[in-house]
Every structure is written in C-alpha cells, then in structure tokens.
Amino acid sequence: MRPTLAAFPATRLRRTRQSAAVRALVQENSLSVGDLIWPVFLCDGTDVVQPVASMPGVNRLSVDRVVQAAREAHALGIPAICLFPYTDPAKKTADCAEAWNPDNLSNTATRAIKDAVPDIAIMTDVALDPYNSMGHDGFVVDGKIINDETVEALVKQALSQARAGADIIGPSDMMDGRIGAMRSALESEGFKDVMLLSYAAKYASAFYGPFRDAVGASGALKGDKTTYQMNPANSDEALRLVERDLAEGADMVMVKPGMPYLDICRRVKDTFGAPTFAYQVSGEYAMIAGAAQNGWIDGEKAMLESLMCFKRAGCDGVLSYFAPQVARLLNG
Ligand code: PBG
C-alpha cells in the first residue's frame, strides 16, 4: 500500500522542484549516450551523401561515408549503429535473392565498418522489403504474404549478415517462427554470440512513411502490412509476441513505433524484465525535425524530452535518428 501523503502545507510537492540542484537530486530517470542505437541508410557509390527529403537532417550514405559516420558515432560514445540499405530497383526481384547476397550493400557496409571501427556494435535488418519487387517483408503469392517460405529466406538473410560480421540481428519482418529458426541456424553455423534483437511488437503504422522513402520501398509496396504487423488497437497481443520471441531465443526485444506506444514499452518491461528497446521511427523523427525546421517547436528540447520519455517508460535503449545530435548535446 502507498503511504498517504501528509496534507498541505506539510506536503508541498514544489519543494523538491525549487532549484536545478534539487531537481537533479530527485530526478528518477536519465538519458545517456550509452542508450542509443543509430539507424543509418546506405546507398551505392563512393562519397555519396543523399538527403532524405522527408527526414530533414538525415542522409543516405555510401559505404565509405558510413564508415566515417561509424567512426564519428564511436568517438561520441554511441554503442551501436543499425544499417538499412537503399537497394537499386534493378536488384529487386520476386525471389528477393539480393537479401542474402554476401556482397549486397548491407553486408559490404558491415565488413567495412567492422574493419575500420571494430568496437562499435553493428545491427542489421532482417526483412525482405528492401529487396522485394512487391515491397513486402515476405514473399507474396496470389496476393498473400506467405509465412513459412519467407522464414526460410529470412534465415538465409540472417546467416549472410552474421557471416559479414553483424553483432546484433534485427528481424523486423513479423513472420511467425522466425526467431526460433534464426536462433537454431545461428547456433548450428557457429554464430553462438550473434544476438537477436527481435522487433517483437511491431505495429502496422503510418509513422513508417519517411523510412519507406529513404529505402525506396514506397513505390513497390502494394496494399498494407496489416496481415503481419500488429493492430495499433492491441496491447495484450504485444505481450504474447514478446513472450513467444523470448521463448524462441531473442536476446532483446523491441517495441515499434516508440512514442505512440510507450504504454506497450512499460508493460513489456514490467512483465518480462528483458532488455527492452523502442524504435523512435522515421515519422516520429520527421514530426519533430519538421516542426523544428519551421520554428514551431524547440527541436533540441523536443528531441531530448522525447528520448527521456522512453527511459521513463522502462526502455533500456532507443533506436533514434537523433543519435549523433543528442550524443553531441549530452557530451557537451
Ligand atoms: C521494414 C522496416 C520498416 C522500418 C524498419 N524496418 C518499415 C516497414 O515495416 O514498413 C521502419 C523504420 C522507420 O520508420 O524509421 N522491414
């Protein structure tokens, strides 16, 4: 039972808010550079920096440039970088074979970063959408996204990423059974230390719009992802998904998007106590960065506040496009 507060004026809750010193003493949560995973977009070429129109301040980077970015991120203390390739439309097929090409953009970047910045953790994305002429995360047959054949392909993709040197594999596809299948394939191929950060509670969200532009998936996508991504109205289902993925061998779990789903973050953390991450997705970034660009909000403050809220909601860390900017601020 909660003790009853003494009545006013014995209790004046403003006493502990009166000065910066006292506010610092009673602060319950904190945000640090060590909480950040930085998602970056890759593109072909050399010395290429291509602005993403719907994400002011975010660029697609060629491999040489992403190596430089990883070096800077590591110097700022950012523990991990997460790679998302913009795939040449000519390499998108119905069989998605580019997804497990050992020399695809993601694997090439992984090797280059590992070589140059061995101490930053590399996270990769497992899903077929960047490579799929149909734009979906899984194979499409007769208008349906087929589960089990997709999982077989995702396992090949995950293994190719592990061979390239990925430390953390992030399955974002929402197929059933993929975590167990990847975990056993990784174990039997000798990748015992490769981690799985499961996008366990991933919602079918309108907030992914700018990302699909950034990776060039919007044009290809027919229909929506509601037969595999979650209904935003559901919360208990998120717990079942997280429980299932942990039972299949996920080391860490994610809730995605972030800000509209902080209640899910809290429930997941309280229920399982597992390493829990939120993805502050492209649309969330665009809203803050776009409003700031127009002078409608204070961008720095909104960025810091939004990230602190994830900590308050129980997250151990956050994937955020703001990572380098916030790291610079936190480092002074
Ligand atoms: C696709 C994937 C998506 C994101 C990460 N991986 C988009 C989608 O599911 O359509 C979204 C990230 C963001 O919006 O920042 N597998």
Side-chain angles (χ1 to χ4, degrees):
M1 265 282 282
R2 226 174 170 41
T4 316
L5 286 177
F8 175 83
T11 296
R12 286 180 186 271
L13 290 168
R14 286 187 56 195
R15 284 193 198 106
T16 52
R17 299 199 294 262
Q18 65 184 289
S19 66
V22 177
R23 286 193 296 274
L25 280 177
V26 301
Q27 179 164 321
E28 297 174 34
N29 295 287
S30 61
L31 174 69
S32 71
V33 180
D35 299 323
L36 302 168
I37 299 177
W38 183 25
V40 294
F41 299 115
L42 308 168
C43 64
D44 287 322
T46 310
D47 200 23
V48 182
V49 178
Q50 261 171 16
V52 177
S54 49
M55 299 178 73
V58 170
N59 301 302
R60 298 186 197 103
L61 304 173
S62 53
V63 170
D64 56 314
R65 287 295 196 131
V66 89
V67 167
Q68 208 175 303
R71 212 176 262 128
E72 285 159 18
H74 180 57
L76 286 166
I78 295 172
I81 190 166
C82 180
L83 309 179
F84 291 102
Y86 174 95
T87 305
D88 175 357
K91 290 184 181 153
K92 296 187 190 209
T93 56
D95 71 2
C96 307
E98 183 65 8
W100 50 91
N101 176 355
D103 297 318
N104 69 20
L105 194 49
S106 173
N107 290 332
T108 305
T110 298
R111 282 190 297 268
I113 296 169
K114 266 286 140 196
D115 201 40
V117 199
D119 293 334
I120 197 162
I122 301 178
M123 175 171 168
T124 50
D125 185 62
V126 174
L128 301 181
D129 55 327
Y131 311 100
N132 194 345
S133 49
M134 315 292 280
H136 277 287
D137 293 22
F139 292 130
V140 185
V141 174
D142 298 332
K144 288 208 162 100
I145 289 72
I146 51 170
N147 193 88
D148 301 9
E149 295 80 353
T150 297
V151 169
E152 284 173 33
L154 297 171
V155 167
K156 288 196 266 182
Q157 183 180 17
L159 285 174
S160 87
Q161 294 172 353
R163 287 184 196 110
D167 301 288
I168 303 171
I169 289 180
S172 69
D173 53 279
M174 288 294 281
M175 297 299 121
D176 284 323
R178 87 261 210 234
I179 300 298
M182 281 176 215
R183 175 53 75 212
S184 66
L186 289 168
E187 281 290 323
S188 60
E189 299 273 328
F191 298 109
K192 302 195 187 310
D193 289 330
V194 170
M195 287 161 273
L196 289 171
L197 199 179
S198 167
Y199 290 59
K202 176 172 177 178
Y203 287 84
S205 175
F207 291 96
Y208 307 149
F211 172 96
R212 292 179 191 165
D213 294 337
V215 300
S218 350
L221 183 63
K222 309 246 177 334
D224 59 36
K225 299 192 177 184
T226 48
T227 68
Y228 46 108
Q229 298 180 349
M230 280 182 70
N231 179 347
N234 294 355
S235 173
D236 291 343
E237 187 186 4
L239 300 187
R240 294 161 68 210
L241 285 161
V242 168
E243 181 175 21
R244 190 268 315 265
D245 285 3
L246 289 171
E248 288 185 16
D251 304 283
M252 307 179 262
V253 292
M254 189 201 293
V255 173
K256 178 184 178 190
M259 280 172 72
Y261 297 86
L262 292 177
D263 57 322
I264 309 298
C265 298
R266 172 50 68 194
R267 283 192 84 188
V268 166
K269 189 61 180 179
D270 285 351
T271 306
F272 301 103
T276 303
F277 291 80
Y279 197 142
Q280 182 180 49
V281 300
S282 57
E284 301 176 61
Y285 175 90
M287 287 193 299
I288 296 173
Q293 204 175 40
N294 281 294
W296 297 335
I297 55 171
D298 181 324
E300 275 187 5
K301 284 190 179 150
M303 167 181 81
L304 287 169
E305 181 179 332
S306 67
L307 292 168
M308 179 67 83
C309 291
F310 290 109
K311 299 301 299 292
R312 193 200 61 230
C315 293
D316 297 286
V318 190
L319 286 91
S320 175
Y321 300 98
F322 287 119
Q325 208 181 322
V326 77
R328 264 178 230 113
L329 264 179
L330 292 173
N331 291 340

